[in-house]
Amino acid sequence: MKHILTADQIDRETLDRMEALTNQVRKKRGTREGALWLKSLFPHRRALLYFTQPSSRTFLSFHSACQNLGMDVVEIRSPDTSSEAKGESKLDSIRTFASYVHLIIMRSQEKGLAEAASKHLDGTPRPRPIINAGSGPDQHPTQALLDDYTLRRSLKDRGGIEGKVIVIAGDLKRSRVARSLALLMRFYDGVKIIFASPKSNKMNDDIINLLIHHEVNFEETTDFDWAVSQADAICMLRLQDEYDENYDNEIIDIDGKLYELRLENDPHSEKQKVVLYQSEKSKTEKQRTIEGYNFKKKHLKILKPHGIVMHPLPRREELDTICDNDPRVKIWRQVRNGMHVRTALIYRIMRQMELEMQWGGQIPANLEERCWMLTE
Ligand code: NCD
């Protein structure tokens, strides 16, 4: 596990080890002595945060994670300020970055860029680990790790994630968070996933087929209130309208009647088609949220007494702020957990890199274990 590119490369053992290592990191950071010890580990290493898509939490939690481990951090936050603006290819840019840093953490609009970058660097004399911090609407593996960690902690007293109903609701079609989390849920016996979304935003077939392949119990519904009533945990998601193409998500007026235009996969061909839905909106405006899939105060009553509510943030109307003080709402926990989980992950990757350098390549299997422990 040198690069972290997609959620499907993560296995159950990695999740268990990540939980244990993250707990160790949290504990260490709890004391001045421990926090200073962590900061003494990698002051000779530098990370690049290459974030060409907007980000607050993921960027800051990765930045803080590097600082927790004493690493230097450099950043590029827009392709306009790198030589890409002069026409340099992305892969040349990435090879340039690798010349200055030991770890590249990247978020981009482009599906598959992190994979392409890792393959490219692996073929050079300076291979560097790459962490995918979000690749277009496709994958967000470290969000899935922190969601898994939050679920484990929140459901610990109730036997863990095994056997629970996990609802994922909102714009499933274009949510990398939904796609990555759904994949990790396959490791838990007896889990049932409920995907709640309008048909136009339903989960894509690639993930559905993987879940079928792994015999994961799942159901798709358009009945949001029913889904809330079933949930041991519900993950709310925002409308991902930054990926709107052409007419997608526009509302138009035809002879006094309002219609929403949506792009949908055509089951009869590889292509997408534009579908018209009669709109209930009163004016022609761009949609901000998926009506009917917003978690409101009334849903706190429908939710099971122990059911938990998550959201990767940023939010719009999908989760009413009035719900925030309910102890079942874990969104601010997720924000904190993101930093701890990413600190653990970077520790593990840097530790492996150091050992590989020491051993001049592949490290013996018994030493692998040491990458998962906080050791001198
Ligand atoms: C998510 C993302 O960027 O995919 N946010 C995050 O990483 N915390 C979710 C979103 O933007 O809706």
Side-chain angles (χ1 to χ4, degrees):
M1 198 183 68
K2 179 173 157 197
H3 309 289
I4 306 296
L5 303 172
T6 64
D8 46 344
Q9 83 180 90
I10 297 167
D11 58 17
R12 173 65 195 250
E13 195 187 354
T14 302
L15 292 177
D16 294 344
R17 290 180 140 178
M18 275 300 296
E19 182 189 22
L21 186 58
T22 304
N23 286 340
Q24 285 181 53
V25 164
R26 286 169 76 105
K27 201 162 162 231
K28 270 275 180 220
R29 278 193 43 77
T31 65
R32 180 176 191 275
E33 208 185 19
L36 288 178
W37 178 80
L38 276 176
K39 274 181 103 51
S40 74
L41 293 178
F42 303 111
H44 55 309
R45 301 288 180 216
R46 185 178 304 123
L48 169 70
L49 295 174
Y50 174 80
F51 273 58
T52 53
Q53 250 191 331
S55 177
S56 304
R57 276 149 292 267
T58 308
F59 179 84
L60 283 175
S61 63
F62 268 118
H63 197 288
S64 308
C66 291
Q67 288 182 332
N68 288 345
L69 296 166
M71 293 172 74
D72 285 329
V73 186
V74 287
E75 61 185 69
I76 290 178
R77 296 214 61 174
S78 158
D80 302 342
T81 59
S82 84
S83 283
E84 277 176 61
K86 298 184 197 165
E88 183 170 61
S89 75
K90 285 213 165 54
L91 292 182
D92 267 0
S93 295
I94 284 158
R95 189 156 178 186
T96 306
F97 306 152
S99 309
Y100 302 118
V101 301
H102 305 96
L103 169 69
I104 297 174
I105 302 161
M106 61 191 295
R107 166 173 283 199
S108 116
Q109 178 87 7
E110 223 176 288
K111 174 182 173 191
L113 182 62
E115 278 109 313
S118 67
K119 278 203 192 86
H120 183 63
L121 287 184
D122 280 348
T124 73
R126 274 183 77 86
R128 290 288 176 257
I130 302 229
I131 302 179
N132 178 2
S135 46
D138 186 35
Q139 283 285 317
H140 197 349
T142 64
Q143 178 74 37
L145 286 175
L146 83 87
D147 288 343
D148 177 79
Y149 182 76
T150 305
L151 282 169
R152 282 174 179 236
R153 282 181 75 81
S154 308
L155 299 171
K156 199 163 86 198
D157 297 338
R158 299 190 42 246
I161 302 176
E162 267 83 12
K164 301 296 184 298
V165 174
I166 312 292
V167 176
I168 309 182
D171 188 355
L172 308 177
K173 177 169 92 166
R174 303 178 294 184
S175 167
R176 53 194 177 198
V177 175
R179 294 167 55 77
S180 303
L181 179 62
L183 283 179
L184 292 195
M185 292 302 103
R186 74 184 188 277
F187 295 120
Y188 299 96
D189 284 345
V191 149
K192 176 175 181 182
I193 305 177
I194 298 178
F195 293 119
S197 75
K199 290 210 164 56
S200 55
N201 301 71
K202 76 189 274 298
M203 181 55 87
N204 276 330
D205 286 347
D206 60 339
I207 300 291
I208 294 290
N209 289 337
L210 272 169
L211 295 178
I212 293 170
H213 174 76
H214 291 288
E215 298 180 5
V216 178
N217 183 9
F218 72 90
E219 187 171 341
E220 296 177 279
T221 183
T222 53
D223 188 343
F224 179 66
D225 287 5
W226 172 78
V228 172
S229 75
Q230 300 297 301
D232 292 297
I234 179 165
C235 178
M236 298 302 305
L237 296 158
R238 165 181 76 83
L239 183 72
Q240 308 282 312
D241 50 359
E242 62 268 47
Y243 302 114
D244 284 356
E245 288 168 53
N246 307 325
Y247 310 109
D248 202 15
N249 193 20
E250 290 298 327
I251 296 177
I252 56 160
D253 186 332
I254 303 176
D255 292 340
K257 277 208 178 109
L258 297 180
Y259 294 89
E260 286 175 37
L261 292 177
R262 307 224 185 110
L263 268 187
E264 287 186 7
N265 292 331
D266 182 350
H268 306 297
S269 75
E270 294 282 284
K271 298 194 180 124
Q272 290 198 306
K273 57 179 182 179
V274 178
V275 183
L276 279 183
Y277 286 89
Q278 198 148 5
S279 174
E280 281 158 18
K281 295 206 170 57
S282 55
K283 54 180 186 317
T284 48
E285 61 184 19
K286 212 163 164 19
Q287 188 188 358
R288 253 180 72 81
T289 182
I290 307 179
E291 290 303 340
Y293 295 82
N294 293 335
F295 193 103
K296 301 183 173 151
K297 195 175 173 195
K298 68 169 186 187
H299 293 111
L300 289 173
K301 290 203 192 84
I302 306 176
L303 187 68
K304 291 178 184 168
H306 53 257
I308 66 159
V309 183
M310 309 208 302
H311 191 308
L313 302 179
R315 66 177 147 183
R316 293 176 185 170
E317 285 86 32
E318 317 76 56
L319 175 56
D320 195 326
T321 50
I322 204 158
C323 303
D324 282 17
N325 288 337
D326 190 293
R328 293 170 294 176
V329 176
K330 304 290 181 193
I331 55 175
W332 301 108
R333 279 281 147 127
Q334 285 173 275
V335 174
R336 284 289 294 171
N337 286 346
M339 179 181 71
H340 299 309
V341 165
R342 288 171 175 133
T343 306
L345 184 67
I346 295 173
Y347 170 86
R348 190 245 170 280
I349 290 172
M350 297 315 291
R351 183 57 94 203
Q352 180 177 347
M353 187 180 183
E354 304 250 294
L355 285 171
E356 280 174 358
M357 280 178 175
Q358 232 169 296
W359 282 81
Q362 186 83 22
I363 52 174
N366 61 331
L367 281 189
E368 276 261 348
E369 201 62 33
R370 283 186 43 194
C371 305
W372 289 109
M373 282 181 265
L374 290 185
T375 49
E376 299 295 326

